[in-house]
Each structure stands twice: as structure tokens, then as C-alpha cells.
Amino acid sequence: MGLLEGKKGLILGVANNKSIAWSIARELHKEGAELAFSYAGERLEERVRILAGSIGAGLLIPCDVTRDEDIDSLFGKIREEWGALDILVHSIAFANKDELKGAFVDTTRQGFALAMDVSAYSLIAMARGAYPLMESNGGKIITMTYLGGRKVIPNYNVMGVAKAGLEASVKYLAADLGPKGINVNAVSAGPIKTLAAMGISGFKEILGHIQDRSPLKRNITAEEVAKTALYLLSDLSSGVTGETIYVDAGYNIIGM
Ligand code: NAD
């Protein structure tokens, strides 16, 4: 029997087959979870539909996380179809390309607000939508973060500030939702070539740097991130909440 047999999970953040959220979805599916997907805008619908169909998932719901009405209708639909939810995977971030290069001191008010809204606030809004559906059986929520939220990474700029906010939100949400039997954690992934990552200026150099300097002397794969996500979304991690777990070939421990 799979680790997630009988569990229902909502996956936010699949854009294509390179998305970290997609690797997580496949891992959860292998362990028996039934999955629903949200997608950001009509442009992505067909691609997400094909991917979801390949693992037998038919529940697809549009949701732009900057729109409260989309979030309300997403959880309304989940309640209508499933009545309850066990797992929420939040794998969403966005910043304007102009903010992901040059000097951080040039961050605009609007660029800051957008990056924070999509990449950090959306976890809070999603957790608020999810917890009433998780209260009866408990639940597991994870989000995706990056070292740039704790240390300065060239060009990561405002996204680093958003990830710092996201990681702090994980702790506050874990404290709020713990008494309801809900665990909230983050996975801090090393760099992986995805659509979002390609928006960061100099991304390829970061990959080379990790290969040279990390203890494992290589980059990590989305599948490795997905296996840690599985741990955090299964009973194996029942006593873990409010944590950020690194899956980065050990790079974050290096001082010099
Ligand atoms: P991706 O581009 O495949 O995924 C990003 C997702 O965010 C996309 O599905 C996109 O549709 C969604 N999104 C953006 N704006 C949205 C909005 N307004 N409403 C709803 N959805 C929206 O890239 P990815 O690398 O898989 O990114 C997933 C998460 O992993 C992000 O939080 C990212 O910061 C994080 N992460 C990525 C890396 C990496 O190197 N790829 C490393 C650490 C953390």
C-alpha cells in the first residue's frame, strides 16, 4: 500500500513538465494520492490538462493567486467535489524580470508588492482556504523556497525578500494551524532549470557554482525535491512542522 493511499491533494504551480510541482505530483501519485491541479490562466490550461490526465487526475481549477475571487472559487470547487483535503502543495513564485537583475537598491514599490503578493502572501491565502477542509482529519501543507531568502544571491534581489517572508509565514502558519492537526513546512531547493529559474539573470552560473562548491559536487534534481516533499506530506514527518528543509546537495552549510 502506498504512503498516501486514500489522501486527497491539491497541487498549485504546474506550468509544464519541468515544474517542481509536477515532479511532486508524480511522486504523490505513485504513493496513491488522488490529485487536483490549479493553473494560472487559460494559456496554461491545455498543458496542465495533458499532464494531469497522464496520471489520471481530472480535477483542474483555474486560479490566479492575486485574485481573491479565484482563491474562493478554487476551494469552493474542492469542497464541492471532495468535501475535504489532506495535502496542499504551494509551488508558486513570480517577480518582474527587471527586478531579477541589477542592483537590489533599485527595486520598485510595485515590483516589491507584486513579488510579495504572488510569492509569499499567496501561501497565507491558500492556507486560509485549505484549513477548514483539513480540520476533521488533519493535513499537510508545503511550500517551495530558496537559499536566497537567507543569504544574498546575485540577481535574486526582491525574490530573496519574498522568500524570507515566505519562510517566516511558514512558521506563523505552523503555529496557527498546529492545534488543528495541520503541519506546515517548506522545502528549500537548490537551483533547477525551470521556467521560473530561467527568469533569473545569470542562472547558469549559479548551477556551475553549486557543482563546484557543494559537498555533493553536483546539482540536485526535481525528483530529489519531490522525495523530500513526499516525506513532508506523509505520515513519516508527523512530528515536523514550521521547518525549512534544504535539498541542495548541502550547499547551504558551506562557509568558505
Ligand atoms: P515554474 O515556472 O515551473 O513554476 C512557477 C509556477 O508559479 C508556475 O506554475 C506559474 O504558473 C505559477 N504562478 C506564477 N504567478 C502566478 C499567479 N499569479 N497565480 C498562480 N500561479 C502563478 O518554476 P519552478 O522552479 O517549478 O517554481 C516553483 C517554486 O519553486 C517557486 O516558488 C520557486 O521560487 C521555487 N524554487 C525554485 C527553484 C529553482 O531553481 N527552480 C529553487 C528553489 C525554489
Side-chain angles (χ1 to χ4, degrees):
M1 197 171 116
L3 285 170
L4 300 176
E5 217 65 58
K7 302 287 186 197
K8 290 183 170 20
L10 173 60
I11 311 282
L12 317 171
V14 176
N16 58 34
N17 64 357
K18 300 275 186 290
S19 295
I20 294 172
W22 175 241
S23 292
I24 295 174
R26 280 197 307 189
E27 200 62 38
L28 304 190
H29 169 69
K30 265 198 268 171
E31 293 297 327
E34 185 179 349
L35 301 177
F37 292 82
S38 80
Y39 58 92
E42 276 173 28
R43 206 171 42 83
L44 293 180
E45 181 176 3
E46 194 48 29
R47 213 180 298 152
V48 178
R49 188 173 299 284
I50 292 168
L51 289 172
S54 73
I55 56 168
L59 189 49
L60 251 75
I61 310 160
C63 182
D64 176 337
V65 298
T66 62
R67 294 165 53 94
D68 287 335
E69 55 275 33
D70 281 17
I71 297 174
D72 290 347
S73 80
L74 171 67
F75 288 103
K77 187 81 180 158
I78 294 288
R79 180 179 290 283
E80 196 182 303
E81 295 286 330
W82 285 349
L85 185 67
D86 304 293
I87 287 168
L88 178 73
V89 174
H90 174 278
S91 186
I92 286 175
F94 184 80
N96 285 327
K97 233 177 156 165
D98 286 350
E99 305 285 357
L100 299 172
K101 61 182 179 197
F104 173 69
V105 73
D106 292 331
T107 302
T108 64
R109 186 186 299 273
Q110 197 203 11
F112 184 93
L114 179 64
M116 275 292 184
D117 187 11
V118 176
S119 316
Y121 177 75
S122 67
L123 176 70
I124 304 167
M126 288 296 165
R128 190 165 56 244
Y131 86 77
L133 294 163
M134 292 178 162
E135 265 177 316
S136 51
N137 292 319
K140 300 266 171 34
I141 299 175
I142 61 161
T143 187
M144 299 301 311
T145 186
Y146 179 56
L147 179 64
R150 298 203 182 172
K151 302 274 169 76
V152 174
I153 305 285
N155 298 318
Y156 204 59
N157 294 357
V158 71
M159 190 55 83
V161 179
K163 291 303 191 193
L166 181 72
E167 290 181 28
S169 302
V170 164
K171 293 181 194 165
Y172 278 90
L173 288 170
D176 268 3
L177 302 181
K180 302 181 194 303
I182 299 169
N183 303 39
V184 186
N185 291 290
V187 180
S188 187
I192 300 171
K193 224 168 158 182
T194 62
L195 212 59
M198 295 319 279
I200 301 158
S201 187
F203 180 75
K204 281 195 187 134
E205 285 152 39
I206 300 180
L207 285 175
H209 186 80
I210 302 296
Q211 174 136 6
D212 292 346
R213 307 284 170 91
S214 66
L216 296 183
K217 298 286 175 237
R218 65 173 175 85
N219 281 283
I220 53 118
T221 65
E223 288 69 32
E224 288 176 307
V225 175
K227 284 188 281 181
T228 294
L230 171 65
Y231 156 73
L232 288 173
L233 294 169
S234 71
D235 203 46
L236 294 174
S237 64
S238 53
V240 179
T241 196
E243 290 294 334
T244 293
I245 298 187
Y246 284 88
V247 181
D248 69 341
Y251 179 75
N252 76 91
I253 67 164
I254 298 299
M256 191 177 143

